[in-house]
Amino acid sequence: AKSAGKNNYQYYSGMMNHSSLDKLELQNDLHRAVAAGAFELCYQPVIDLNTRRLISVEALVRWHHPQRGSIPPEVFISMAEETGLIVPLGNWVLNEACRQMAQWRRDGLAVQRVAVNISALQFSEGSLLRQVIDALDVSGLPSHCLALELTESVLMEDVAYTLGMLADLKAMDVKISIDDFGTGYSSMSYLKQFPIDSLKIDRSFVANLPGSTQDSAITQAIIAMAHSFNLTVVAEGVETEEQASYLDSLGCEKCQGFLYGKPMPAQEVNRLVENSTKI
Ligand code: C2E
Ligand code: CA
Ligand code: CA
Ligand code: CA
């Protein structure tokens, strides 16, 4: 019995060692990748529903692991959160997005703004404002051409801190957008306190439009409330023309999704915009 127990122990500890070693190895690789800036930014078009043209883009980070291939952002972003690597990684994203957006402006490309995702630790850690100022300064990008996407839970973690931070960003004219709206927090009373520019309706509500009466009701309520606070609305995850025209009929200003383009390298954004304005 004793030896069987021991074998069991060895079996399980062997399993755990394998997965924790695996995780440790990936963390080390992530550390090296952050030090080397070995990431790529893709950009997803955001479409103005009135003109059906690209108006802005959202930057989404990609990691092509030398051995394991492409690692989903959910995996390495949460790992970067756990290890604190999200601060330098997020700073790399911010700088690269501002650099690219400034380049598009020099190219005369009709892209108004780039949106950058900001994770919880990056927001709370204390150096975000400095990083934003530096990224704008180094790139020469006007601050109104940068938007930060924050989730409700991040905003609500420390309301006093959030109020101060958003006031500073607002004073600089950096735009603020609430990401995945409707999924994170039960109260919406904070909307009247925070200087926010837009809400992004989470794609879980958009997926079953226009068929689902419940999701239609939620979407209409979000749009009505956003407009009463003078916020613009961006619908995420728009995959069909039916969804786009339905959202337009509800007064939703912008949309984003595979219908208009997956996240793509910067050069593809150039091609997309140049071809659409030549017509
Ligand atoms: P998110 O900010 O909600 O980004 C939207 C995600 O939905 C992206 O996944 C995008 O590819 C996907 N998506 C866009 N349109 C559609 C559609 O029509 N249908 C479907 N099914 N999906 C669509 P991605 O690029 O895998 O990113 C996943 C998440 O990882 C992001 O969710 C964001 O939370 C995080 N993330 C990505 N890049 C960054 C970054 O640079 N910094 C931080 N902090 N987080 C990031
Ligand atoms: Ca419209
Ligand atoms: Ca986002
Ligand atoms: Ca989102």
Side-chain angles (χ1 to χ4, degrees):
K2 200 180 178 188
S3 72
K6 197 181 173 203
N7 281 340
N8 269 337
Y9 173 74
Q10 282 178 339
Y11 176 70
Y12 286 117
S13 86
M15 294 266 291
M16 277 174 354
N17 278 340
H18 177 73
S19 67
S20 59
L21 267 179
D22 203 53
K23 194 176 169 186
L24 203 63
E25 194 178 277
L26 200 60
Q27 280 180 2
N28 281 330
D29 294 344
L30 185 61
H31 206 285
R32 268 194 294 275
V34 168
F39 298 89
E40 193 196 345
L41 279 190
C42 280
Y43 299 88
Q44 187 174 35
V46 177
I47 302 301
D48 179 334
L49 276 169
N50 283 325
T51 62
R52 297 291 180 116
R53 281 176 182 239
L54 184 150
I55 185 163
S56 63
V57 293
E58 175 179 3
L60 293 154
V61 68
R62 298 291 179 257
W63 183 24
H64 301 286
H65 189 282
Q67 284 85 39
R68 299 181 201 217
S70 131
I71 314 274
E74 282 91 353
V75 173
F76 72 85
I77 292 287
S78 60
M79 188 173 268
E81 274 271 330
E82 284 170 30
T83 55
L85 284 169
I86 193 67
V87 176
L89 172 57
N91 196 28
W92 180 87
V93 170
L94 194 58
N95 277 280
E96 177 57 18
C98 288
R99 188 202 61 74
Q100 182 59 61
M101 183 63 220
Q103 182 61 49
W104 280 327
R105 284 172 65 85
R106 283 194 296 274
D107 295 345
L109 213 70
V111 181
Q112 290 186 4
R113 185 169 294 134
V114 66
V116 172
N117 292 285
I118 302 295
S119 80
L121 184 65
Q122 215 187 340
F123 186 71
S124 64
E125 175 263 355
S127 61
L128 181 63
L129 200 64
R130 184 75 257 160
Q131 293 184 348
V132 168
I133 292 168
D134 288 349
L136 292 171
D137 194 39
V138 169
S139 61
L141 184 71
S143 49
H144 69 268
C145 299
L146 175 66
L148 304 184
E149 298 195 358
L150 298 152
T151 62
E152 296 165 283
S153 51
V154 168
L155 292 170
M156 294 311 292
E157 209 167 272
D158 179 346
V159 171
Y161 175 81
T162 298
L163 278 169
M165 179 69 95
L166 295 192
D168 288 343
L169 291 166
K170 178 82 179 173
M172 290 169 59
D173 207 19
V174 170
K175 305 300 172 193
I176 303 293
S177 196
I178 302 188
D179 208 355
D180 308 336
F181 188 78
T183 61
Y185 200 76
S186 52
S187 164
M188 292 171 184
S189 60
Y190 68 88
L191 284 177
K192 67 182 181 207
Q193 290 182 270
F194 295 158
I196 292 156
D197 300 285
S198 61
L199 298 186
K200 300 189 76 170
I201 303 181
D202 189 71
R203 73 164 185 263
S204 59
F205 301 119
V206 173
N208 301 310
L209 297 180
S212 160
T213 44
Q214 285 176 332
D215 289 342
S216 295
I218 291 171
T219 302
Q220 290 179 47
I222 292 176
I223 293 170
M225 190 193 50
H227 288 170
S228 75
F229 286 106
N230 281 317
L231 310 176
T232 56
V233 184
V234 185
E236 295 187 309
V238 173
E239 295 183 354
T240 68
E241 175 51 40
E242 290 68 38
Q243 290 167 345
S245 50
Y246 180 66
L247 286 157
D248 184 28
S249 77
L250 298 182
C252 179
E253 283 88 1
K254 299 173 196 174
C255 80
Q256 185 179 347
F258 295 168
L259 175 63
Y260 288 103
K262 295 192 171 176
M264 58 186 81
Q267 313 85 274
E268 279 181 45
V269 175
N270 282 66
R271 278 197 287 275
L272 193 73
V273 175
E274 278 160 6
N275 290 338
S276 75
T277 46
K278 264 178 206 147
I279 297 166

